[in-house]
Amino acid sequence: MSEQRVPTHQPPSAPEPARGDHEGQTLNSFYGAFPYPWSPHQLTTLDDPAFYTRFLCQDVGDDTGGRVPVDADIWVAGCGTNQALITALRFPGARVLGTDASENSLALCEANARSLGVSNLTLRHEGLTKAAYREQFDYVLCTGVIHHNPDPSVCLRSLAAALRPDAVLELMVYNTYHRQEMIAFQKALTLIGIDQVGELPERLALARGLGESVPADGLLGRKMEMFEYTDEAAWADSWMSPLEHSYSVEELAAMADGCGLALETPTVNAFDQVSDSNQWDVPVPDGELRARYDALPDPTRWQLVNLLLMDRSPMLWFYLGRAGRPRRTEAERDRAFLDTVHRHSAARQRRWTRQPDGGYQEAATTAFPAAKPPAAVRPLYDAVDGERTIRQLLADLGGTLTPAEVRSARLQLTSSQFPFLVAAR
């Protein structure tokens, strides 16, 4: 497929073969049988093409909105069935490239993109390990991909090479404390001889059967119970992955450093929001212990939280940038939040809902954001007037916030996951 911008509703060129044996054969076969993730119940886009670029910039500490432009070049690496489409809808002014090693996943994505008339998305059948992009993108997304490759650092170097000097990489890899039960079960499947079973549906039946033999009251049984009602693709992705690696914060930071990258800040995401574990913080008591905790460099503190919370720590989902690039610390961003004037965000949302036949039908346009902020920060949100800083608003409300509460308010009001306030410029 050519490098030019090709609307997906036009007839596509022949797909480029995925390169690399593991990607081209193992992953293509696995995700061909179990396309993942599932098609979302709803797809949306906003009438303001700059809406999510502003919040993405705020996510990485840029209140000017200049780090990722509205007309950005975006690469969704390992896009699966829907991430590239969701990204193209979220950033309608951008040029979005989605690549994946699974032809079936790309076919599902392309069919949905065509039905919605999306014109800023190009899809390419391409493995990640030998991608040859050089400083071509302003924003790269790669979530849940590199940890399925034999050497994730090779993939990460490909992602790093594709970044422009000020670009943002959004990366998610498995948190080692989230995966202990899955890894144990996958090793058990290997011992029982699952690799000797030829067809993937038969492998799924074998794995399901072995899972039913696990005691329900044990650590593994309780974890498996959480997946009891998930569909086949989600269950297989979690429990039958043909290969995976997992990391602590320290290990991820070291791999990033070896690829010329640095962790910038955690990504607030929907999965951690649902599990109420989206804060990289522990309630350390005031005094000397708190002073020591607050004085830690951000990556060291994130590693400490990772160790203390273990399976309750957030996902390893981070924004990264080129190593050596100036970045604001979390504390600096908290102070900037307090001293910045904000205004309420507002847009109109166009929606398509999934139908029983798997297609999408357009629904009524609605105001966005439709929900209110979390209750703890709602009084502050209601007081925002586009004239007073957050610090002034808090003083006028007669309240004070601890440093941890300031950070929580910032994340729950000004992040892409909680897109309620934008810096007034």
Side-chain angles (χ1 to χ4, degrees):
M1 192 174 286
S2 67
E3 289 289 339
Q4 67 183 25
R5 184 175 177 178
V6 181
T8 54
H9 61 270
Q10 293 182 354
S13 306
E16 178 180 326
R19 293 170 289 184
D21 180 70
H22 178 75
E23 292 179 304
Q25 297 181 25
T26 306
L27 294 183
N28 194 11
S29 175
F30 184 81
Y31 288 107
F34 306 113
Y36 188 80
W38 54 87
S39 295
H41 171 69
Q42 180 175 264
L43 292 167
T44 64
T45 192
L46 300 179
D47 65 349
D48 179 1
F51 189 95
Y52 275 112
T53 54
R54 282 194 294 267
F55 278 98
L56 174 58
C57 288
Q58 289 186 172
D59 287 344
V60 294
D62 172 24
D63 291 339
T64 70
R67 184 167 174 186
V68 179
V70 175
D71 62 346
D73 289 298
I74 299 175
W75 178 23
V76 187
C79 60
T81 59
N82 61 44
Q83 192 180 28
L85 173 57
I86 291 170
T87 302
L89 290 168
R90 177 171 280 212
F91 300 95
R95 294 169 292 276
V96 179
L97 170 67
T99 63
D100 201 275
S102 168
E103 294 175 284
N104 282 10
S105 295
L106 291 173
L108 288 169
C109 184
E110 183 175 30
N112 287 331
R114 287 184 186 230
S115 71
L116 271 58
V118 172
S119 61
N120 64 328
L121 173 62
T122 299
L123 298 173
R124 179 172 295 121
H125 180 218
E126 178 181 70
L128 179 55
T129 54
K130 296 184 180 178
Y133 307 111
R134 296 292 181 268
E135 296 192 6
Q136 290 179 231
F137 299 100
D138 304 292
Y139 176 36
V140 174
L141 295 89
C142 188
T143 57
V145 178
I146 71 171
H147 52 224
H148 287 306
N149 282 269
D151 187 350
S153 65
V154 172
C155 300
L156 191 55
R157 287 189 187 94
S158 293
L159 298 172
L163 298 174
R164 289 174 176 152
D166 290 330
V168 175
L169 168 61
E170 182 175 340
L171 180 75
M172 187 278 283
V173 296
Y174 284 145
N175 183 332
T176 192
Y177 298 111
H178 294 179
R179 301 296 298 178
Q180 296 175 80
E181 299 89 346
M182 283 79 167
I183 291 171
F185 186 73
Q186 290 162 10
K187 289 180 177 178
L189 287 175
T190 299
L191 292 175
I192 206 72
I194 193 170
D195 293 337
Q196 300 165 17
V197 179
E199 300 296 326
L200 285 170
E202 284 72 27
R203 292 190 187 188
L204 176 63
L206 186 149
R208 288 281 201 181
L210 187 61
E212 290 172 3
S213 70
V214 175
D217 60 347
L219 185 65
L220 179 55
R222 290 194 298 270
K223 188 77 167 186
M224 297 194 87
E225 187 178 12
M226 298 168 59
F227 292 78
E228 184 176 358
Y229 298 106
T230 57
D231 62 22
E232 286 188 352
W235 197 93
D237 183 71
S238 294
W239 296 98
M240 293 175 56
S241 173
L243 176 67
E244 72 170 65
H245 300 265
S246 59
Y247 299 86
S248 66
V249 171
E250 183 178 43
E251 291 165 340
L252 174 59
M255 180 170 65
D257 182 66
C259 297
L261 298 168
L263 304 184
E264 292 202 8
T265 189
T267 304
V268 183
N269 62 85
F271 296 96
D272 284 334
Q273 182 183 351
V274 169
S275 62
D276 194 27
S277 60
N278 58 6
Q279 298 287 329
W280 282 95
D281 192 26
V282 290
V284 176
D286 290 336
E288 181 185 353
L289 185 60
R290 184 74 206 190
R292 288 176 175 271
Y293 176 81
D294 289 337
L296 293 173
D298 288 339
T300 305
R301 190 180 64 258
W302 299 329
Q303 171 66 6
L304 177 66
V305 173
N306 201 194
L307 293 169
L308 294 178
L309 296 185
M310 297 186 72
D311 60 312
R312 294 296 298 164
S313 60
M315 300 179 73
L316 259 61
W317 200 322
F318 281 84
Y319 291 116
L320 294 82
R322 288 186 179 275
R325 187 188 181 280
R327 61 171 292 273
R328 278 178 167 178
T329 66
E330 293 289 287
E332 289 171 339
R333 294 174 62 196
D334 294 340
R335 290 192 291 271
F337 168 69
L338 289 173
D339 294 326
T340 297
V341 175
H342 291 80
R343 60 176 175 81
H344 294 138
S345 64
R348 298 293 297 177
Q349 184 181 70
R350 189 179 176 190
R351 301 180 298 127
W352 295 265
T353 57
R354 193 167 183 235
Q355 302 302 300
D357 63 0
Y360 286 88
Q361 180 175 317
E362 188 160 4
T365 300
T366 58
F368 185 84
K372 291 289 186 181
V377 294
R378 203 168 299 165
L380 178 57
Y381 170 82
D382 290 337
V384 166
D385 57 10
E387 296 179 359
R388 292 174 290 172
T389 66
I390 297 295
R391 195 184 300 276
Q392 291 169 331
L393 291 170
L394 289 170
D396 292 345
L397 289 171
T400 57
L401 298 180
T402 66
E405 289 170 337
V406 170
R407 186 160 304 162
S408 180
R410 172 170 64 80
L411 296 176
Q412 292 184 340
L413 288 171
T414 67
S415 65
S416 293
Q417 187 60 35
F418 297 94
F420 297 106
L421 297 179
V422 292
R425 295 186 291 275

